[in-house]
Amino acid sequence: MPRWDMEIVFPSLDSPEFRAAYDAWCGSLDALGALFDRHDVRAGSAATPDAFGEVVDAYNAVLTEVQPIRAFVHAFVTTDSRNDLAKEWMSRLEGKGVALGKLGTRFTAWTGSQDVEALIQASPTAKAHAFALRKARTAAEHLMAPSEEDLAADLSLSGGNAWAKLHGTVSSQIEVEIDGEARPMSAIRNLAYDADRDVRRTAYEAELKAWRLWDAPLAAAMNGVKGEVGTLAERRGWSPLDSALFFAHIDRETLDAMLGAARASFPDFRRYLRAKAKFLGLERLAWYDLFAPTGKSGRKWSYFEGERFVAEQFGTYSPKLRGFAERAFAERWVDAEPRPGKRDGAFCMGVRRDESRVLMNYKEAFGAVSTLAHELGHAYHNVCLAARTPLQKATPMTLAETASIFCETIVRQAALQEGSRDDQFDILEAMLQGACQIVVDITSRFDFECAVFERRSERELSAAELCELMLEAQRGTYGDGLDPDFLHPYMWAMKPHYYSAGRSFYNFPYMFGMLFGLGLYEVYRQDPDAFREGYDDLLSSTGLDDAATLAQRFGIDIHSRAFWEAGLQSIATDIDRFESLSVGS
């Protein structure tokens, strides 16, 4: 399977070209700091329209210049955690990132102390960045004193960032022994998709044993990250959840409506889990059966078959979308091969201009084809954002999932229409697997994180306590859909999202993205031509307004529980169809 091509960005980490780019960016960063000093960029200092325009232009330029440098290093760190040179460069970038972060905080404080609306009227640059300015005004109300913000930034390298790095390094290097053979954790987790239940159970038990061996340092990392986030949030005058909602560009009313609808849908998902168990000849699914293949069709999807199918189906939406996918494949944007030292899971990262790179760990099943379409959706979103400045295209997680879910849905619907009855069953099962993860499992992760923050405000939590909180969350969401004796107490150790100091509550945006994407797909289905006219513009605007305002462009009210229920009802209809197909052959 393919590995991504980064040599067209720089020849190597030790090349003169990479070093020159890094040194040039460091010079630009220093110049930006001097410019901030010259214009007295700090809270309480007045900004003239000309000074503001000069500062914003220079700030955007520095953010643009560093993107390919960061992406290049990240490409090595995520595919080979034992690459010491990559880790050395990442450490350097993190140090410079602290300096850049301090300037960002100064910019927020400076902007927040202006008459923002007057500045927007007086400065074309301010007008072009109006949403970012208005967000900065609110964010400035939650800043500590400048000296405290500087200290927090300096300590982040040895605090939350260090704990996150510990988790990433440890979790990617764990090797699990099965039948006398040591395998990387990503390979072991892939065995959850094996058709043989004995293989799945053996892998599950070996995985839990491996996490147990490493749970002390991982629990320390969890305590370190959550302790820092909770302390800083309190000092800044809001809760970690309030902060997460602000940066997700949604409000508590939206979250409550969505989660309320999700919890009401749990009986439908439990019905799906029971139907799958019955089809597999089981009384009840264990955790290690969640991803068991139904295998009705017995079809395997090779990676290159998946490539062709994705490109073809993207073409049913538009020639532009198909051409984009073909370009991504031809230019080797995708790293698909599971291997030791490579991070588990999948992601898409912007590299430069309209270029992205996709990491995944491909399995020969339709679910992996769906993941490929999903991650390419993110890359297409980056294409639509390419003409925007960094401050204009700062897209929250909630809206970052818009294009990915839409593209995934295009591919899934095509596969359902073209496939045999058995193919349809397997594709529905793959979709419902994903939906169950995003609605049920993500609610469990949300509940777990709420509980961790509440207890961490009083003291550190042991690995055993973290496991018990995880089990409580799973019991409360999966209910009787899973065997309570075979849950996954170490999901807190496995999921890297918990360890991002800058992105607490990294869970609910995925649910928002899936259900919002399904809502957009329904709008598209009703009037494809009208939808196409506004869709790319919507994607290019995800950093220019809050989610509620952008959704209104397509007649969607995200404050209404009915909107979220409609998306979940479409999934319930798929569950009905799955049940029917499961007993009809």
Side-chain angles (χ1 to χ4, degrees), residues 98 101-102 105-106 109 139-140 142-155 232 235-236:
V98 168
K102 289 180 180 179
T105 301
R106 284 177 63 181
H142 293 280
L143 289 176
M144 301 181 290
S147 60
E148 292 176 322
E149 289 290 351
D150 282 353
L151 179 60
D154 287 333
L155 290 176
L232 290 176
R235 293 295 296 268
R236 289 170 175 148

Side-chain angles (χ1 to χ4, degrees), residues 52-68:
F52 185 82
E54 185 180 0
V55 166
V56 169
D57 288 345
Y59 189 23
N60 275 322
V62 166
L63 294 173
T64 299
E65 191 177 350
V66 74
Q67 183 182 16

Side-chain angles (χ1 to χ4, degrees), residues 468-541:
E468 183 52 38
L469 288 178
M470 192 81 259
L471 291 173
E472 286 179 11
Q474 290 169 0
R475 287 190 288 261
T477 50
Y478 285 98
D480 62 4
L482 291 181
D483 186 333
D485 294 329
F486 293 95
L487 299 175
H488 198 310
Y490 281 100
M491 285 299 287
W492 62 268
M494 193 276 287
K495 290 292 181 184
H497 298 163
Y498 293 125
Y499 299 86
S500 176
R503 291 185 177 180
S504 292
F505 290 100
Y506 205 116
N507 34 56
F508 67 79
Y510 284 104
M511 189 190 305
F512 182 104
M514 183 189 76
L515 296 177
F516 185 62
L518 289 175
L520 283 176
Y521 187 82
E522 181 60 23
V523 174
Y524 159 67
R525 195 182 63 80
Q526 292 174 2
D527 192 345
D529 292 336
F531 179 86
R532 289 188 192 96
E533 289 179 7
Y535 181 59
D536 282 8
D537 184 59
L538 172 71
L539 295 180
S540 75
S541 304

Side-chain angles (χ1 to χ4, degrees), residues 5 29 116 132 170 180 188 236 276 370 382 392 494 497 507 524:
D5 179 15
L29 182 60
V116 168
V170 169
I188 295 301
R236 289 170 175 148
K276 180 171 181 176
S370 182
N382 290 339
Q392 290 173 328
M494 193 276 287
H497 298 163
N507 34 56
Y524 159 67

